[in-house]
């Protein structure tokens, strides 16, 4: 029965996505919503991304220097491992998990409230493709801004690492710079960006589905918001395994 329920949910999700990716009825209105969603979902998330990335970069550098590095290892190991961790996993996967909590719950609660207050029904009655009008700008807006968030996150993580060198004196700036530059592979940056765009689609589409299919009152809206965060996080973790295997 559980498998049947999952398949039924997945089928409804695919049907909703087929309606979502139809051609917009009014392209000017779509562009207006697209810019609005980029601001709400992407630009408004820059602050928390920079803050978390700064401290995580600093903590990773300290942990690598204190607990991993030994006299048998080169002095640049802490800088090298900090760069690799930020590029390969944190700035794409872990940051998207954090954004799933912020952005995903926002999307699910917004669309769920519109469903409960019958605003979506009013759009359907007027002949508007409500799925396309409400969901497509959110998906496209988040996918557009997510690569920039990843780049900002990686850069701020490096700044956090350098703060441990200049302020905490954990490692010398010269050794940190040497580690940051050692065996740099630019494909890791592109891999992080590609993964983040897949994760952005998962966050926006799954959260929109959870909000769009709300049935009930305000309590169900809160439940849909929680389900959106949980499902998005689980799907990100699963897809991260396959994407890392494919892109490595």
């Amino acid at each position: 029965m559980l498998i049947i329920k999952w398949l039924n949910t997945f089928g409804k999700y695919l049907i909703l996505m087929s309606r979502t990716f139809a051609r917009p009825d009014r392209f000017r209105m779509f562009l207006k919503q697209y810019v609005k969603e980029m601001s709400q979902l992407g630009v408004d998330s820059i602050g928390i991304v920079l803050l978390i990335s700064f401290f995580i970069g600093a903590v990773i550098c300290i942990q690598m220097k204190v607990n991993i590095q030994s006299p048998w290892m080169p002095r640049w190991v802490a800088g090298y491992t900090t760069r690799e961790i930020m590029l390969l996993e944190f700035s794409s996967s872990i940051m998207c998990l954090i954004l799933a909590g912020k952005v995903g719950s926002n999307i699910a609660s917004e669309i769920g409230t519109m469903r409960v207050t019958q605003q979506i029904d009013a759009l359907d009655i007027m002949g508007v493709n409500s799925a396309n009008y409400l969901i497509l700008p959110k998906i496209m807006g988040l996918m557009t801004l997510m690569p920039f968030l990843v780049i900002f996150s990686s850069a701020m993580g490096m700044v956090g690492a350098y703060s441990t060198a200049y302020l905490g004196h954990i490692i010398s700036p010269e050794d940190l710079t040497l580690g940051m530059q050692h065996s740099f592979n630019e494909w890791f940056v592109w891999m992080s960006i590609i993964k983040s765009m897949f994760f952005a689609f998962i966050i926006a589409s799954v959260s929109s589905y959870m909000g769009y299919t709300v049935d009930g009152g305000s309590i169900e809206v809160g439940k849909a918001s929680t389900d959106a965060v949980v499902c998005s996080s689980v799907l990100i973790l699963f897809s991260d395994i396959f994407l890392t295997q494919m892109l490595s």
Side-chain angles (χ1 to χ4, degrees):
M1 292 298 294
L2 187 60
I3 296 178
I4 295 176
K5 181 180 178 181
W6 285 348
L7 291 176
N8 185 38
T9 302
F10 183 62
K12 291 180 179 179
Y13 170 79
L14 292 179
I15 292 173
L16 180 63
M17 289 300 105
S18 66
R19 291 179 55 201
T20 299
F21 286 95
R23 185 177 182 274
D25 296 328
R26 298 180 62 183
F27 198 72
R28 181 178 298 178
M29 185 64 70
F30 167 75
L31 287 179
K32 182 179 178 181
Q33 288 293 110
Y34 172 62
V35 174
K36 176 185 174 184
E37 297 299 342
M38 279 198 297
S39 174
Q40 288 185 349
L41 303 180
V43 176
D44 291 350
S45 301
I46 291 178
I48 189 171
V49 167
L50 296 180
L51 181 66
I52 294 175
S53 299
F54 176 84
F55 287 105
I56 291 297
V59 169
I60 291 175
C61 186
I62 293 173
Q63 293 282 23
M64 292 298 114
K65 177 64 178 177
V66 173
N67 297 311
I68 302 298
Q69 194 161 352
S70 70
W72 301 98
M73 292 183 180
R75 291 181 299 176
W76 45 260
V77 167
Y80 174 75
T81 52
T82 300
R83 186 199 71 198
E84 297 296 274
I85 292 174
M86 291 299 299
L87 282 180
L88 291 175
E89 278 304 310
F90 180 82
S91 293
S92 58
S93 307
I94 308 302
M95 186 54 64
C96 286
L97 286 175
I98 297 171
L99 290 177
K102 177 186 182 298
V103 176
S105 60
N106 181 25
I107 293 175
S109 59
E110 178 185 342
I111 297 181
T113 302
M114 294 183 70
R115 169 63 75 183
V116 170
T117 55
Q118 299 180 346
Q119 297 179 51
I120 295 179
D121 296 331
L123 290 173
D124 292 332
I125 291 173
M126 290 187 295
V128 177
N129 184 348
S130 57
N132 176 266
Y133 176 76
L134 295 174
I135 300 176
L136 185 60
K138 297 182 185 299
I139 294 177
M140 298 303 296
L142 189 58
M143 290 183 67
T144 302
L145 265 295
M146 189 62 80
F148 296 98
L149 294 179
V150 168
I151 295 172
F152 293 158
S153 174
S154 299
M156 188 54 67
M158 309 301 175
V159 173
Y162 273 101
S163 71
T164 65
Y166 286 101
L167 301 179
H169 305 291
I170 300 297
I171 184 175
S172 68
E174 293 76 17
D175 292 339
L176 183 60
T177 301
L178 190 62
M180 292 286 185
Q181 296 175 345
H182 180 73
S183 298
F184 176 70
N185 186 356
E186 65 177 14
W187 169 245
F188 289 166
V189 179
W190 290 107
M191 185 169 70
S192 183
I193 291 174
I194 293 171
K195 285 167 60 177
S196 70
M197 293 184 70
F198 277 95
F199 299 153
F201 175 80
I202 290 174
I203 294 171
S205 62
V206 171
S207 301
S208 297
Y209 170 79
M210 291 298 178
Y212 195 87
T213 56
V214 167
D215 184 17
S218 57
I219 297 178
E220 280 71 19
V221 174
K223 184 177 182 298
S225 178
T226 303
D227 291 341
V229 176
V230 173
C231 292
S232 298
S233 301
V234 172
L235 289 174
I236 286 173
L237 291 173
F238 272 109
S239 59
D240 186 30
I241 298 175
F242 297 104
L243 288 172
T244 302
Q245 182 69 27
M246 289 174 58
L247 297 173
S248 296

